[in-house]
Amino acid sequence: VAAGAYHTLFLDSTGRLYSCGLDADGQLGHDNHRSFAPEFVRDDVADLAAGTSHTLALTASGQALAWGSNARGALACGDARDSHPRPLPVAVPHAVLAVAAGGFSSAFRTRSNLVFVAGANADGQLGLG
């Protein structure tokens, strides 16, 4: 389970991801703009994270996905669109082991123990110095 500001994510034991809440920026990953009960998003999910209004998922094969608000580049998808309502591959050049989300930032730990970060860094939250 992970929770953003206005959305909640649920991962069942078979790797099926569900979401509910307010979908102002596409963070739910399905067609409803408000969902009062969890709705299916995708399967094959091994890990998940929720930022203020974006969602991260990690597939069983190590592919990181992101959707929702791309404010301050939080989705790490390589474009400047404000939001993406459907899962997009994240531009991490290694297989990912874990995902984490802050308010408007994202972090990806790879299987080779490298960490890639994206998004807001005004207060040093990305650790880039």
Side-chain angles (χ1 to χ4, degrees), residues 5-7 21-30 32-34 51-55 66-72 74-75 81-88 103-104:
Y6 299 100
H7 73 297
L22 181 63
D23 193 37
D25 293 298
Q27 63 266 41
L28 295 183
H30 50 68
N32 289 328
H33 293 290
R34 178 171 283 153
T52 296
S53 55
H54 72 288
T55 297
W67 61 95
S69 173
N70 195 29
R72 300 171 187 89
L75 298 184
R81 284 183 45 196
D82 290 339
S83 64
H84 290 276
R86 295 281 182 242
L88 295 172
F104 298 98

Side-chain angles (χ1 to χ4, degrees), residues 7-9 13-14 29 33 35 51-52 57 60 67 72 74-75 78 80 87 101 106 108-109 111 117 127:
H7 73 297
T8 304
L9 308 170
S13 63
T14 66
H33 293 290
S35 176
T52 296
W67 61 95
R72 300 171 187 89
L75 298 184
S106 300
F108 310 91
R109 184 168 58 104
R111 292 183 179 173
V117 293

